[in-house]
Amino acid sequence: MNDTSTAKTGLQSEAGAAMKQNRTAEGTVGEVYVDDPRMTCRNVDVYYGEKQAIFDVSLDVGKNQVISMIGPSGCGKSTFLRCLNRMNDTIDICRVTGQIKMDGQDIYDGGLDVVPLRASVGMVFQKPNPFPKSIYDNIAYGPRIHGLCDDKQHLDSIVEKSLQRAGLWEEVKDRLDQPGTGLSGGQQQRLCIARAIAVSPEVILMDEPCSALDPIATAKIEELIDELRENFTIAIVTHSMQQAARVSQRTAYFHLGKLIEVGETDQIFTSPRHKLTEDYITGRFG
Amino acid sequence: MHTSTLIILLLGLMSLAYYFGRKRSLSIVGGKIRDLHSLPSYYGLQTAMWCGIPALILLSLWISFEETVVTGIVVESLPQELQSLPPERLDLVLNDVRNLSKGDIVSSTVDQTMQQAADHYSSLMDISHMALFVVALSVAILAGLWARRTITREQRARNRVEKAINFFLLSSSTLAIFTTIGIVLSVLFESMRFFQQIPVTEFLFGLEWSPQTAIRPDQVGSSGVFGSVPLFAGTMLITLIAMIVAVPIGLMSAIYMAEYAGKRFRTLAKPVLEVLAGIPTVVYGFFAALTVAPFFRDMGTNIGLTVSSESALAAGVVMGIMIIPFVSSLSDDVINAVPQAMRDGAYGLGATRSETIRNVIIPAALPGIVGGVLLAVSRAIGETMIVVMAAGLSANLSANPLEAVTTVTVQIVTLLVGDQEFDSAKTLAAFALALVLFVITLALNMIALHIVRKYREQYE
């Protein structure tokens, strides 16, 4: 991913041209393309064995933006999210077609190694899943396996910085050697976020990061997402429309494996263009 | 009349009682089941239980006391000089009387009094059997009829039947527990008798094992030395070798099965691995004694080592092979129990498969794996057949795996095989060994189960 600049400019002009269209060829309403994309997805189909889970989705993820994906259960939003760092590779029967590019580089290219990809596209899961190790080792795990630290001191500073950015440092700085599984649910989730940002990714994917948390912990995470936007690009799947409205700049609405509508978050929630989107956000189903 | 006939008759009566009880309950409400407190089958079951259970209890009590009572009566009728015999002699006479009445071989000559006593004994037994037959059947019929008569529409038959079932289940489980306690106590008491003859300290810390005791006072040599250290050392040596073989292979195959293997390979390889667990240990035993041990001996000779033909190495290696499926299936379960979220977390950070396994899955599964290994150790310690055939009998105190050593289980077998007096230190030593072995494996199992349980809680 060294010579991405040329590819990027190429994409930008292409995206700019497409912006003018209101309705894209794939049947999605709204602005699929953005001026300054970090990741671009074109005509993505996902199959689980014989069953197709995602139908022809095209979507851009803008730089230093939070994009939220909403929709009823089973609509494929998590599946789509997991395509972005090839987490679906771990499922044997899963097959992805179409094109997903990150900074101009096709991530499904046969020659691409998933290890650096996943280092640059981090992920936070629905349930906090700290490793059964100490808090310190949880954070240090990523930098260690990617060889990001030169010595102990450097590693210490990475751990401290990551915990600070995740807003957890003050709470755990005196007990870094205690197991990460001993923290509360909200703390564990912030630990997982810290773990993801410790390898300094460019994109962070969040798969319903607050669904297992209480309202106070949720508020903290949402605050954190807003701060992280400064340095990272974030794609978040959520079941809570209020959360989508609070944290994201763009919102994508999925329905039965299809991307129905994309747009500025304000616009989606105040004046949705598609009937299905309107029904969903006004609470008629889902 | 035979007891089994009686039992079959009782079962037949019970099914009749079920039928009539059920019918009665239905006729009370005129076929409207909803007016009954319980379903008709519960009334049937209740009647059948009343019919069968008291009679069966009576039957078992009768059979257990019949012999004593009848013998008592026979003794009463014996001539005075026989009655005043010392108890052991009287027992012998009574034994002869019983044998005579059954037509078996008798130890002494049959005289008039004996023959009379035997006839008396058999006629009493016949009367007792007949009486049992009549009493049991009438108890069954009367109780069944009574139970049938008491059926009303409000009678809470369901609750009573449930209570009875509860009691059956309870008594089955306590039976298992009491059997275990009984075995432990019997081992314990026999060991106490042993420790009255041989001091505990000598048994536990003695370095020499030579259990041959003189049978007659004029026999030469051997007063018997009962130091169990060489036996336990031998057991530990063989167990250690077995673990060195089984743990790495079992663990790695478990990792491969759980994390790498494709579906097709797993469906093929898992049953094959489980076949290994199904091979009888006696087969492993002669495999060790006839194939592996000579192989090691010849190989040793080729490179200039003296390997005894019953080496600890051969027994240990084969035992290790036997334990592989045990270790691998336990570890496989534990590795599979590590939540997928843990793997996702590591993959999501860009860890490779082997990094995930080494840094995340194995540490998470470690307590469970340790528990599984401890269970395997206790199995190896208690394993008998392989070592009886392949490990030899000489109680060497040696850490050299190429020499012959013996194990606790082998010695227990040799101590108790053959004609022995039961009260000599030699045979009683088997119980003492068994007791120590039992304590060791029990402790290992308890630790292992504790670890495994604690591990399970961690992810729930």
Side-chain angles (χ1 to χ4, degrees), chain A residues 127-144:
Chain A
K127 241 179 98 186
N129 58 349
F131 301 134
K133 298 169 181 283
S134 70
I135 293 170
Y136 183 93
D137 287 334
N138 261 288
I139 309 295
Y141 183 76
R144 274 188 186 134

Side-chain angles (χ1 to χ4, degrees), chain A residues 44-251:
Chain A
V44 176
D45 290 314
V46 180
Y47 302 85
Y48 288 116
E50 291 297 299
K51 199 175 157 282
Q52 187 166 2
I54 299 277
F55 297 84
D56 197 25
V57 169
S58 296
L59 183 65
D60 279 356
V61 179
K63 220 172 253 178
N64 295 52
Q65 246 193 358
V66 179
I67 180 165
S68 63
M69 301 171 191
I70 59 170
S73 297
C75 67
K77 52 195 189 303
S78 287
T79 301
F80 180 72
L81 190 78
R82 288 166 66 97
C83 289
L84 298 180
N85 67 344
R86 292 184 57 178
M87 273 307 275
N88 285 331
D89 287 12
T90 59
I91 302 166
D92 286 337
I93 55 166
C94 186
R95 196 158 53 82
V96 180
T97 62
Q99 195 187 49
I100 301 179
K101 280 186 177 171
M102 172 155 174
D103 295 336
Q105 170 95 32
D106 186 354
I107 67 167
Y108 279 87
D109 184 26
L112 184 109
D113 189 359
V114 306
V115 169
L117 169 71
R118 288 188 189 147
S120 51
V121 185
M123 187 152 191
V124 176
F125 297 86
Q126 187 169 358
K127 241 179 98 186
N129 58 349
F131 301 134
K133 298 169 181 283
S134 70
I135 293 170
Y136 183 93
D137 287 334
N138 261 288
I139 309 295
Y141 183 76
R144 274 188 186 134
I145 60 171
H146 294 296
L148 299 182
C149 51
D150 312 320
D151 50 29
K152 177 88 172 91
Q153 233 175 344
H154 187 196
L155 189 60
D156 284 349
S157 75
I158 292 179
V159 170
E160 185 180 340
K161 224 169 79 191
S162 309
L163 282 169
Q164 270 168 350
R165 279 168 128 181
L168 197 60
W169 176 250
E170 287 305 317
E171 290 160 64
V172 300
K173 64 179 176 189
D174 300 324
R175 44 172 178 156
L176 290 175
D177 54 341
Q178 283 176 23
T181 41
L183 297 172
S184 76
Q187 288 174 327
Q188 285 189 17
Q189 195 62 298
R190 277 181 283 150
L191 181 69
C192 291
I193 293 174
R195 187 176 70 185
I197 56 186
V199 293
S200 33
E202 293 166 43
V203 182
I204 302 175
L205 309 176
M206 296 188 175
D207 189 356
E208 297 178 38
C210 301
S211 64
L213 303 182
D214 63 78
I216 294 170
T218 303
K220 277 195 177 157
I221 303 267
E222 286 178 4
E223 219 172 283
L224 176 61
I225 291 171
D226 206 47
E227 286 165 19
L228 290 175
R229 181 160 64 93
E230 214 175 294
N231 300 300
F232 305 100
T233 300
I234 294 173
I236 177 171
V237 163
T238 175
H239 263 298
S240 153
M241 281 177 279
Q242 289 87 339
Q243 184 171 65
R246 281 192 297 262
V247 300
S248 68
Q249 284 75 53
R250 286 175 80 219
T251 297

Side-chain angles (χ1 to χ4, degrees), chain B residues 5 9 21 67 74 81 107 119 128 189 224 229 243 258 265 322 447:
Chain B
T5 329
L9 270 174
E67 186 88 33
V74 172
E81 76 265 18
S107 66
D119 291 344
S128 154
F189 286 132
V229 171
M243 285 301 133
F265 181 79
M322 181 195 84
I447 296 170

Side-chain angles (χ1 to χ4, degrees), chain B residues 296-343:
Chain B
F296 280 138
R297 191 192 49 210
D298 296 346
M299 215 165 69
T301 327
N302 284 343
I303 56 170
L305 284 173
T306 347
V307 184
S308 120
S309 42
E310 292 179 319
S311 60
L313 186 64
V317 166
V318 174
M319 197 190 274
I321 294 170
M322 181 195 84
I323 292 174
I324 287 173
F326 199 70
V327 174
S328 90
S329 77
L330 277 174
S331 320
D332 191 25
D333 288 350
V334 179
I335 290 172
N336 275 325
V338 174
Q340 183 62 32
M342 217 59 90
R343 293 186 182 89

